[in-house]
Amino acid sequence: MKQFTTHQGIVAPLDRANVDTDMIIPKQFLKSIKRSGFGPNLFDELRYLDEGQPDQDCSQRPLNPDFVLNKSRYQGCSILLARKNFGCGSSREHAPWALEDFGIRAIIAPSYADIFFNNSFKNGLLPIILDEKDVDQLFVEVEANEGYQLTIDLENQQVIKQDGTALAFEIDGFRKHCLLKGLDDIGLTLEHANAIREYESKRKETAPWLFS
Amino acid sequence: MAGKTLYDKLWDDHLVRVNEDGSALLYIDRHLLHEVTSPQAFEGLRIAGRKPWRIDANLATPDHNVPTTERSGGVERIVDPVSRIQVKTLDDNCDTFGITEFKMNDIRQGIVHVVGPEQGATLPGMTVVCGDSHTATHGAFAALAHGIGTSEVEHVLATQCLITKKMKNMLVRVDGQLGLGVTAKDVILHIIGVIGTAGGTGYAIEFGGEAIRSISVEGRMTICNMAIEAGARVGLVAVDEKTIEYVKGRPFSPKEQDWEKAVNAWQTLVSDADAVFDEVVVIRAEDIQPQVTWGTSPEMVTSVVDSVPDPAEMEDPVKREGAERALHYMGLKPKQKITDIQLDRVFIGSCTNSRIEDLREAAAIVKGKKVATTIKQALVVPGSGLVKAQAELEGLDKIFLEAGMEWREPGCSMCLAMNPDKLGVGEHCASTSNRNFEGRQGFGGRTHLVSPAMAAAAAIAGHFVDVRQVNNA
């Protein structure tokens, strides 16, 4: 997994609540058997004016000029500012894959749907939770200042503005550790293989029907 | 010390170890797989040179991509090449790793959340995961069940465990008795309308109360299925006689001495009387009427006797903008009566409502009637090959066909339109599925979530009608 330590980048504001995973990556792109290449279809229905198909050359498609990621001032953005309950809907990990493939490294929102939140960490994508009023303020600042950037310091759990003011955020210790080191969960779990086997042998005694 | 909730008990029973930071390694009893979220997981195993930890805990079936029209030509004849590759990849992966799979033309194939319970592969007290958010369905059996992402699919394959954190406990208690014509689907849509699409985020929701007890096991599956639409990964219903009766005699269910032992264990799968929930929501069953969604989030729902709300009357600006955007997308006007919404298509199916009781409910409404001439298509898609066979045994297929509906092969179909069943731009659909997101059922499509009875009644009328006013109801 990709490491995440500190990151500085342009912020793009996606000003709507309950952004669902169908919106992040529509279903016709879930047919891929690969993990990569979803970036051009991120927010496909919002981003383009036509209906997208898998394996299409997206550079030839008509762009929706009103969509935030199409605006010239947000080109090269790597931090997405969003509203509450971001990533609701399905469990498709294609959603964080698409964000990551597009170049997004972190999201800032007041809240996330559970499965999306969890999936993001597995892909080196950092979903940061800030208070609604801080998020509101960031929306104001981003819209007012072209080229608005933020720096994210994971070690110190801070979102740092260009004027040096910092907003602290909480993060689960284990997830932070894995992101900082770029660790693979499976390898870590297999270090406890004996504990898993021990659990299984006890469980076989009490609930044998689960093993037949 | 306070007693335990059902969720607490299931959690404790599956705890392999707790890490220093409070995250835990939870043992997984049943892992269900389908073609969309598994290929990258198998690929990951292969690259790392890992093998599945416990082959017999896995069960697979293709559902999202499979065509629902005649398909005796097999996988090679799936027209869409990318769908074909995905279904073939699942077949190949299951063959390579020795995982039991009900392939496309096996009579046991179907929507993974219909197949698990039907086979007895979902049992009370189990942990059940699948790379699909509607895995919450299996909670109807007092199983701790939830959706996972593809990285976690790989993790479960490799370790039989999940790294996870304990959720909070929420009880949604539905007191009293449901009115005639009010179904499980209406109950869950009403609950989502009350608590909102993020109301259950971070919680495991247990559904309880007199109304839930009176609902059949299949109805409870409908309710738990949509827990995720209220933000909760987990929905649960305690074990009772109905649960045990439903599980009995199914192919994967325990047999002989194991059965007695299992039933004894399962009877403890209820929240203790003195258990403490972090949140309790009380709903009065008598307040629930047949529901219809009007917007692009399941919480945008109202009863069939009501009207589309007026965003101008909403105080919260984010909510108001959301409602305005939704009405624009849906092509609806503020204060328009729900029964004035004209429909183009009807879809009866999905992991929410494609079991035999759902089909019976719909057939009872359409029997002897014809689909309105303004309806372009009314699809009935059974949840599995076995549901289809049972329905045909009961003559339900004939009722649907004589009414002018289409009777299809099992699969996810128009719920998410990954196969050829989809809505056209601007088309309104009365759908028994679970999500009314923009574009969910097809680019520009407009979804209204309803119960099977409401969908059937709408197919006959061409617009929404209160199913309680329909003759056959």
Side-chain angles (χ1 to χ4, degrees), chain A residues 9-164:
Chain A
I10 295 175
V11 183
L14 184 61
D15 195 1
R16 59 198 281 171
N18 300 319
V19 169
D20 59 68
T21 52
D22 279 79
M23 218 179 275
I24 299 172
I25 183 82
K27 70 263 164 196
Q28 63 268 38
F29 307 109
L30 310 187
K31 296 179 188 181
S32 168
I33 56 169
K34 296 182 297 195
R35 266 174 206 262
S36 56
F38 296 100
N41 301 110
L42 174 71
F43 295 116
D44 199 273
E45 290 182 9
L46 301 174
R47 200 160 141 201
Y48 302 99
L49 295 169
D50 62 344
E51 182 180 357
Q53 297 303 332
D55 297 328
Q56 195 180 10
D57 177 5
C58 291
S59 64
Q60 304 302 315
R61 296 174 59 197
L63 293 172
N64 173 3
D66 298 330
F67 183 58
V68 57
L69 296 184
N70 291 334
K71 294 185 178 164
S72 61
R73 60 185 286 190
Y74 300 119
Q75 294 313 298
C77 67
S78 57
I79 298 171
L80 192 68
L81 182 64
R83 295 290 185 185
K84 66 179 180 190
N85 198 30
F86 187 87
C88 61
S90 93
S91 64
R92 61 187 70 162
E93 201 158 316
H94 312 66
W97 292 341
L99 286 158
E100 203 266 345
D101 196 62
F102 178 83
I104 301 293
R105 293 301 321 273
I107 308 169
I108 299 173
S111 63
Y112 299 87
D114 283 341
I115 303 180
F116 174 83
F117 188 69
N118 208 25
N119 282 341
S120 295
F121 286 103
K122 316 273 180 196
N123 292 283
L125 176 68
L126 177 60
I128 295 172
I129 301 172
L130 290 181
D131 279 352
E132 208 146 6
K133 66 170 179 25
D134 289 332
V135 171
D136 283 345
Q137 179 58 27
L138 285 174
F139 267 99
V140 172
E141 292 176 18
V142 170
E143 312 232 349
N145 301 288
E146 194 160 339
Y148 188 90
Q149 298 203 8
L150 289 170
T151 301
I152 291 156
D153 178 351
L154 178 57
E155 178 65 53
N156 294 306
Q157 299 179 209
Q158 287 184 329
V159 174
I160 305 159
K161 298 183 184 182
Q162 276 164 308
D163 64 6

Side-chain angles (χ1 to χ4, degrees), chain A residues 15-18 20-23 27-28 30-35 38 45-46 48-52 54-55 83-85 88-94 97 112-115 118-119 122-123 132 172-175 184-190 192-193 195-197 199-200 203 205-206 208-212, chain B residues 13-17 19 21 23 25 27 29 36-37 39-40 50 53-54 56 65 80 82-83 85-86 89 123 125-126 131-133 147-152 154-155 158-161 163 165 197-198 201-202 228 231 233 254 258 261-262 265-266 299 318 325 416-418 435 437-440 442-443:
Chain A
D15 195 1
R16 59 198 281 171
N18 300 319
D20 59 68
T21 52
D22 279 79
M23 218 179 275
K27 70 263 164 196
Q28 63 268 38
L30 310 187
K31 296 179 188 181
S32 168
I33 56 169
K34 296 182 297 195
R35 266 174 206 262
F38 296 100
E45 290 182 9
L46 301 174
Y48 302 99
L49 295 169
D50 62 344
E51 182 180 357
D55 297 328
R83 295 290 185 185
K84 66 179 180 190
N85 198 30
C88 61
S90 93
S91 64
R92 61 187 70 162
E93 201 158 316
H94 312 66
W97 292 341
Y112 299 87
D114 283 341
I115 303 180
N118 208 25
N119 282 341
K122 316 273 180 196
N123 292 283
E132 208 146 6
D172 173 276
F174 178 71
R175 284 171 164 157
D184 162 14
D185 279 355
I186 296 178
L188 290 171
T189 297
L190 286 174
H192 305 296
I196 303 171
R197 284 193 200 98
Y199 171 88
E200 283 180 326
R203 189 79 173 149
E205 299 280 312
T206 55
W209 62 90
L210 294 173
F211 294 86
S212 54
Chain B
D13 277 351
H14 291 88
L15 211 49
V16 173
R17 61 170 265 126
N19 299 316
D21 68 332
S23 67
L25 212 52
Y27 191 80
D29 296 313
V36 179
T37 54
Q40 296 88 349
R50 290 175 174 136
W53 180 276
R54 205 185 125 200
D56 69 331
N65 271 296
D80 179 349
V82 261
S83 289
I85 290 172
Q86 215 169 42
T89 304
L123 294 172
M126 272 185 166
D132 188 284
S133 59
I148 55 177
T150 298
S151 296
E152 290 173 318
E154 186 182 337
H155 192 277
T159 70
Q160 210 53 47
C161 292
I163 301 171
K165 272 208 144 164
T197 185
T201 303
I228 187 68
R233 295 177 79 174
D258 271 356
K261 209 171 169 181
W266 295 343
E299 70 181 15
V318 176
R325 194 184 286 122
L416 84 169
M418 275 189 77
R435 288 190 178 132
F437 298 156
E438 288 183 21
R440 169 84 180 179
F443 183 73

Side-chain angles (χ1 to χ4, degrees), chain B residues 288-301:
Chain B
I288 308 175
Q289 307 204 53
Q291 302 283 298
V292 179
T293 64
W294 50 266
T296 53
S297 164
E299 70 181 15
M300 295 174 171
V301 65

